Amino acid sequence: MDALEAILQRHSVRDFSSKPVDKKTVMKIIETACRAPSGGNGQPWELFIAAGKTMEKIRNIYQERAKNPPAIPAGGPPPMPKFIQDRMAQIRKERFELLKLDPNDPASGKVFQEWNARMFNVPVLAIICQDKALTNNLDTGMFIQSVCIAAKGCGVDSFIAGAFIAHQDVLRKELEIPDNLNIITGVGLGYPNEKSIINSYRAPRRPVSEVVRYKE
């Protein structure tokens, strides 16, 4: 599989099978991703990987906490631009329709909440961090993309999700993540549950003519 094919075939898997990913393959993915560019060759990314019993322990804690979710604090970050909100609303609607659920029915949303709680059944979770002294996530973002493309090249699927880092105190304890690192995001690695219809979903992309301003 060449690079263009890997980019085109990569998609977010939201329901993984129980099939494990062997450590050798995981390390090959990460070693390849470490070729990602970074300013001044700083390579600021740090990884903490959970698999096997450690992954299951973290998953069990997440599921237990989901039974009594904390209250959402007031305030928070400013709302995203409307065009992004519109795109997010579109894919939410399409996913609900694919699952034959009513997006206006609160009970339907529990399907997605349950996926979040069990961490999408992912067998391997890479938690990506960088030093708190750094304020720019660009380099680490390029590394995260490289992880997903390298995974696809190895026949492994992936999913980047904020839900993976919902309980950072758990991750810091179980993976021994030091306090001097910020937890940026989590990347799940594994193989799709072929029986799950949600894995057939592909989010639409903006046409390149809308993205590019080309002058000669």
Side-chain angles (χ1 to χ4, degrees):
M1 181 180 292
D2 65 23
L4 293 180
E5 187 179 3
I7 291 171
L8 291 172
Q9 289 195 16
R10 185 219 63 83
H11 70 282
S12 296
V13 168
R14 288 177 170 80
D15 192 4
F16 289 86
S17 75
S18 59
K19 180 181 177 181
V21 184
D22 65 88
K23 183 178 179 180
K24 183 178 180 180
T25 300
V26 173
M27 296 308 292
K28 180 180 180 182
I29 291 169
I30 302 305
E31 182 178 10
T32 304
C34 283
R35 299 298 303 176
S38 58
N41 197 34
Q43 305 173 64
W45 43 81
E46 303 286 343
L47 265 75
F48 298 82
I49 296 176
K53 293 180 179 179
T54 299
M55 184 67 239
E56 289 312 307
K57 183 175 182 180
I58 292 171
R59 192 190 326 277
N60 289 338
I61 297 173
Y62 270 48
Q63 288 181 300
E64 190 62 31
R65 288 194 176 184
K67 296 176 182 177
N68 296 289
I72 299 174
M80 289 179 285
K82 185 178 183 302
F83 65 87
I84 292 182
Q85 293 185 47
D86 289 345
R87 290 182 194 132
M88 294 177 70
Q90 177 189 1
I91 63 172
R92 180 179 184 274
K93 179 176 179 292
E94 291 174 350
R95 289 175 191 148
F96 271 88
E97 290 174 348
L98 180 66
L99 296 169
K100 295 181 170 54
L101 297 173
D102 180 1
N104 298 314
D105 180 6
S108 295
K110 291 183 178 180
V111 173
F112 295 95
Q113 293 170 9
E114 289 171 0
W115 271 330
N116 285 358
R118 65 176 184 262
M119 305 178 81
F120 311 96
N121 297 323
V122 68
V124 177
L125 177 61
I127 299 299
I128 291 91
C129 305
Q130 71 176 30
D131 197 284
K132 288 182 176 179
L134 300 172
T135 57
N136 191 321
N137 294 344
L138 175 61
D139 291 345
T140 300
M142 290 190 286
F143 171 77
I144 293 166
Q145 166 78 346
S146 297
V147 169
C148 296
I149 300 305
K152 195 64 187 177
C154 292
V156 176
D157 281 293
S158 60
F159 186 30
I160 306 167
F164 288 138
I165 61 169
H167 303 289
Q168 297 195 8
D169 59 320
V170 176
L171 299 175
R172 287 191 185 278
K173 179 182 177 182
E174 300 302 329
L175 297 178
E176 301 179 26
I177 301 174
D179 290 338
N180 69 298
L181 297 179
N182 273 330
I183 296 175
I184 305 301
T185 195
V187 180
L189 299 171
Y191 304 98
N193 175 0
E194 301 293 351
K195 296 180 180 180
S196 182
I197 192 172
I198 194 64
N199 288 331
S200 68
Y201 180 76
R202 299 293 184 273
R205 290 295 188 265
R206 298 167 65 192
V208 68
S209 59
E210 182 183 309
V211 176
V212 178
R213 285 75 167 169
Y214 197 122
K215 296 184 69 174
E216 292 183 309

